[in-house]
Amino acid sequence: MELKYVGPKPIISHTGVEFDNNKDDKFAYLEVAVDLLKALSHDYIEDRTYTYETEIYKLSSEELLHELRKYCPNIDSLMKRENHVIEDEIHHEIQRARESLVLTSIEKEVLENNIEMMHDYLIQRSINKSIYYCAINALAELLKKDHIDHIIAPMLQRFIHVFHSIEGCLKLLKTPIDTKLDIYKKNGQLLVRLQIIHT
């Protein structure tokens, strides 16, 4: 199994396949998550500010997987489990299509073919999503463990998406951690700051 970008969320019906461009493949955010993991994984000296320049080149899928294994050691079993779960869901959707009481036999066949056509796409998106959330959980654990006060990044959609995911993860901890997201301008550059409010 591998990691690779497939695209936005598919909407599969008996009339065709459409894509929800508002729900991009989580693979698109993995490189940002890995960059943040690399930036935050070190020893800290109290009251010191750390700066990390993100990589200017894109990581290959193999490099991305190699880096992620450092923070998510169970990544291979996670990928296999997700593959199995989605295979079951696809099988269930095909059964539902076959047993539909509202679709004609031709519509049932078209729907089943559309689901089959998107089989690999659906599995890859699901694997990408589970790996992404493994990385987000690892980030949340680092922020909690090292009592990191804030992270500042360029105000780009990918950073904001990852920061929102981290916020959600921190709120779901056994002892939830509050956060605050600010957008501000410094030296003519728009920045986003994720503030972690440790109690």
Side-chain angles (χ1 to χ4, degrees):
M1 280 180 235
E2 61 179 341
L3 288 176
K4 64 180 180 181
Y5 180 80
V6 285
K9 181 179 181 178
I11 301 160
I12 305 168
S13 72
H14 65 282
T15 60
V17 179
E18 296 178 29
F19 296 92
D20 183 348
N21 290 319
N22 292 320
K23 298 201 174 176
D24 201 3
D25 183 356
K26 294 297 185 195
F27 182 88
Y29 308 104
L30 271 174
E31 197 160 7
V32 168
V34 165
D35 256 351
L36 288 171
L37 282 164
K38 287 163 60 176
L40 298 172
S41 296
H42 58 82
D43 294 328
Y44 290 90
I45 299 169
E46 196 172 338
D47 297 328
R48 183 169 170 195
T49 300
Y50 292 86
T51 303
Y52 177 83
E53 293 293 325
T54 59
E55 305 293 340
I56 55 170
Y57 62 91
K58 285 194 116 8
L59 294 173
S60 71
S61 293
E62 293 80 24
E63 292 168 324
L64 206 52
L65 201 50
H66 174 74
E67 286 298 322
L68 284 163
R69 280 191 176 103
K70 295 175 186 175
Y71 310 101
C72 302
N74 65 334
I75 201 167
D76 294 305
S77 62
L78 193 60
M79 289 169 83
K80 285 178 187 167
R81 186 174 70 235
E82 197 60 33
N83 182 54
H84 180 69
V85 166
I86 294 305
E87 285 283 1
D88 286 348
E89 283 183 21
I90 291 170
H91 177 73
H92 177 72
E93 288 302 315
I94 289 172
Q95 278 304 116
R96 283 187 59 211
R98 289 177 183 159
E99 296 168 2
S100 173
L101 301 175
V102 294
L103 299 177
T104 66
S105 59
I106 291 172
E107 290 172 331
K108 288 179 187 182
E109 185 180 340
V110 170
L111 177 55
E112 184 177 340
N113 288 339
N114 288 344
I115 294 168
E116 290 284 1
M117 180 179 64
M118 296 305 293
H119 175 272
D120 293 349
Y121 189 101
L122 292 167
I123 287 174
Q124 190 64 57
R125 261 186 65 88
S126 185
I127 286 171
N128 293 348
K129 184 177 180 179
S130 66
I131 299 309
Y132 171 76
Y133 280 107
C134 186
I136 293 300
N137 285 325
L139 278 165
E141 284 301 319
L142 275 173
L143 294 170
K144 177 185 167 188
K145 176 179 73 74
D146 294 327
H147 297 279
I148 294 170
D149 293 331
H150 64 272
I151 308 169
I152 299 171
M155 215 277 311
L156 300 171
Q157 189 270 339
R158 289 188 174 170
F159 280 103
I160 292 173
H161 184 93
V162 170
F163 282 5
H164 276 300
S165 296
I166 293 169
E167 283 185 302
C169 188
L170 288 169
K171 284 182 174 86
L172 292 174
L173 293 175
K174 190 175 180 179
T175 306
I177 297 175
D178 285 331
T179 56
K180 182 180 176 191
L181 204 59
D182 294 317
I183 296 171
Y184 65 98
K185 199 171 194 176
K186 183 176 180 182
N187 300 329
Q189 183 184 13
L190 272 178
L191 300 169
V192 59
R193 175 177 44 222
L194 174 63
Q195 190 173 350
I196 300 94
I197 304 159
H198 298 279
T199 53

